[in-house]
Amino acid sequence: MNGTAQLPDPPQFSDEEMQKCRESGDFMPLLFEWYKFVGQICIFFAQLQRESPAAKEIPQIHFAILTGLLNRCARLMLSNVALSHNGRFGETTAILDRCIFESSLKVEWLCHKGTDETFRRYLAGGLKTEIELEKEIADNIFEREGGEVFNIEKRMLSSIDRHINAAGLSREEISGAKKLPDVSAMLRDLGHERLMYVVAQRLGSHHVHGTWPSLLLHYLEVDDDDDGKFSLRDHDCETHPNQFVMTPLQVLGAVRAFVVYLIEEEESRPIVDLVDSIQEEIMTINNEMIGSDFQSAE
């Protein structure tokens, strides 16, 4: 990040706009703008320089992993903005939200652990598949008469080499590394209750894997004549308001963890306060939106 970069301005809403949302019960215009703002905040802090005087000394590969994951979150949020701005593609934004959740969780977990081993396990987790593919290609070449190498195989092997070399790990280190803990274990490490795993991960899986609840939510409609028939749903799925609450809160948590991990405490405190204030703004809107949802149903 160069010295002229400045934080983006937060969204501002007039009293009239706020009142209109309260009267209609539709807070999506407000949440949409905060969602965009959080995406901007995410990419802004992903561009922090490792060489900054306020930055702690961390390995280059650790820095690359964390900033790469934050960049992924910001880019996918931008995709969701483009998809959802006209009130469509809710089935697709739900899939991307699951990806954003996992990436932001990994940022938080890696920063929480902060050890060489955890970052090595992250790298090895993705590279084990590369090594398996490399072996399959090598076996095919060995069995071929004269050991002929096809052009496509040469390109694939070169790509695998680049990925492994960039990670700075040997093939033995990759093969011998422990697997990353699953999402449930990561959430427990970060102090979350089981409900967070069920809501963010398990329910999010419906949209990725196309389970029956996902079909009923986004792709099928029950016919009104009660004869058990279904029809295909039209292309009219909106992004649910909860997505514009949960996803930015998760990404802000990742940004917060990254800043605390990278920047010395005295310098990071104002940034943490900023992140906390953004979370409060989103939660204030959310509390108005949910209204009486958490009051007794009796």
Side-chain angles (χ1 to χ4, degrees):
M1 182 179 297
N2 59 50
T4 61
Q6 293 184 347
L7 279 166
D9 294 325
Q12 301 288 334
F13 306 103
S14 66
D15 292 340
E16 289 77 14
E17 289 173 314
M18 294 293 295
Q19 186 59 32
K20 182 178 179 181
C21 290
R22 292 187 182 103
E23 291 173 354
S24 65
D26 179 12
F27 291 88
M28 285 291 279
L30 311 184
L31 292 172
F32 185 76
E33 294 302 318
W34 278 109
Y35 186 98
K36 289 194 297 182
F37 179 66
V38 170
Q40 293 175 306
I41 287 291
C42 184
I43 194 59
F44 180 89
F45 287 111
Q47 295 177 84
L48 286 174
Q49 295 298 303
R50 177 170 166 263
E51 297 78 13
S52 169
K56 304 171 188 175
E57 290 189 11
I58 67 172
Q60 177 66 51
I61 192 67
H62 296 192
F63 184 79
I65 291 169
L66 296 173
T67 54
L69 285 169
L70 288 176
N71 188 29
R72 185 172 194 259
C73 290
R75 293 268 299 276
L76 293 180
M77 290 184 78
L78 176 62
S79 298
N80 272 348
V81 167
L83 287 168
S84 64
H85 77 279
N86 60 359
R88 297 205 173 185
F89 297 105
E91 73 289 338
T92 310
T93 61
I95 296 171
L96 293 181
D97 274 344
R98 163 72 180 276
C99 299
I100 296 169
F101 163 70
E102 290 198 24
S103 292
S104 59
L105 174 62
K106 285 175 181 173
V107 171
E108 284 198 73
W109 185 79
L110 288 168
C111 290
H112 173 70
K113 291 294 187 181
T115 65
D116 289 337
E117 182 196 7
T118 51
F119 282 93
R120 191 182 308 117
R121 290 168 70 180
Y122 169 83
L123 290 167
L127 292 172
K128 286 179 187 289
T129 304
E130 302 281 291
I131 288 180
E132 183 179 359
L133 176 60
E134 183 181 53
K135 182 180 182 305
E136 291 294 323
I137 295 172
D139 288 346
N140 288 338
I141 294 172
F142 179 79
E143 293 174 3
R144 197 173 297 133
E145 184 176 353
E148 181 183 9
V149 180
F150 297 152
N151 285 330
I152 187 173
E153 293 172 328
K154 183 178 179 180
R155 291 197 302 271
M156 292 171 73
L157 290 172
S158 295
S159 175
I160 292 169
D161 266 337
R162 286 196 301 273
H163 293 166
I164 292 175
N165 292 337
L169 298 178
S170 68
R171 283 161 174 77
E172 292 73 24
E173 287 176 314
I174 294 168
S175 298
K178 293 180 180 179
K179 291 183 178 180
L180 279 176
D182 60 22
V183 169
S184 178
M186 288 186 185
L187 287 168
R188 285 198 304 271
D189 281 345
L190 294 170
H192 293 289
E193 297 181 357
R194 175 73 179 180
L195 179 62
M196 181 67 170
Y197 171 70
V198 174
V199 172
Q201 179 73 0
R202 296 297 297 274
L203 291 184
S205 294
H206 289 320
H207 311 301
V208 174
H209 301 299
T211 61
W212 179 241
S214 172
L215 297 186
L216 286 181
L217 183 62
H218 291 138
Y219 305 100
L220 291 172
E221 290 183 323
V222 182
D223 290 344
D224 293 332
D225 53 13
D226 292 329
D227 62 358
K229 292 183 180 180
F230 301 88
S231 58
L232 299 182
R233 180 170 179 176
D234 200 359
H235 183 50
D236 60 351
C237 300
E238 294 187 2
T239 298
H240 194 280
N242 288 347
Q243 293 177 242
F244 286 110
V245 175
M246 289 296 296
T247 298
L249 291 179
Q250 291 159 356
V251 171
L252 286 171
V255 170
R256 189 183 197 279
F258 171 68
V259 167
V260 170
Y261 179 76
L262 177 66
I263 304 297
E264 297 291 348
E265 183 175 359
E266 184 176 343
E267 300 291 335
S268 68
R269 187 68 253 171
I271 302 174
V272 170
D273 290 342
L274 170 66
V275 170
D276 289 347
S277 69
I278 298 170
Q279 290 176 325
E280 290 174 7
E281 291 288 344
I282 295 172
M283 285 305 301
T284 296
I285 297 172
N286 183 62
N287 289 338
E288 290 208 47
M289 180 174 66
I290 62 177
S292 62
D293 282 359
F294 288 92
Q295 294 178 7
S296 174
E298 296 180 0

